[in-house]
Every structure is written in structure tokens, then in C-alpha cells.
Amino acid sequence: MKLQYKSMNIVVYSSDANYMLYYLENEQGTVDMKINKQNTKMGFLYPNNHIYLTVGKSTKL
């Protein structure tokens, strides 16, 4: 699955200061993306769906 978005705004996630919140937009709509400061957890927060990605031992750079 390929996601292409334009970054509209970046803020510290108010619920958890360990995350940055990115507001993304494309022709299909908008989505919130949050990434932790260690760059090991990412979440795409759609209105009706949440997608979470985690970097583990086998996927670290």
C-alpha cells in the first residue's frame, strides 16, 4: 500500500508529549499521523480506521 500525503502542520501530541502529530492531506482527504520521538512507533489516525506500525528488532536500521 502506497500513501502519498502533503504535510500541513506539525505539533506536539497533546495527549502524550513523547509523540509528534502531523496533519496530512491528499486528494482523498486528511489524516493525522503520530510518531514517537524514538521513531519506532507510527500511527495513522483516520476518522473510521487506525493503522499502527511498530519497528522491532528485525526491522531497525
Side-chain angles (χ1 to χ4, degrees), residues 9-31:
N9 193 11
I10 303 169
V11 297
V12 174
Y13 191 54
S14 61
S15 298
D16 187 346
N18 290 319
Y19 282 87
M20 294 296 292
L21 186 64
Y22 297 80
Y23 296 101
L24 308 175
E25 181 180 83
N26 69 9
E27 63 276 351
Q28 297 171 336
T30 61
V31 65

Side-chain angles (χ1 to χ4, degrees), residues 1 13 21-22 27 29 32 34-35 40 43 51 53-54 60:
M1 179 167 61
Y13 191 54
L21 186 64
Y22 297 80
E27 63 276 351
D32 296 340
K34 68 177 191 174
I35 300 176
T40 57
I51 300 171
L53 306 170
T54 302
K60 283 191 176 179

Side-chain angles (χ1 to χ4, degrees), residues 36 38-42 52-61:
N36 72 345
Q38 297 81 22
N39 294 323
T40 57
K41 295 181 182 180
M42 176 186 297
Y52 295 101
L53 306 170
T54 302
V55 175
K57 290 179 184 177
S58 64
T59 56
K60 283 191 176 179
L61 298 176

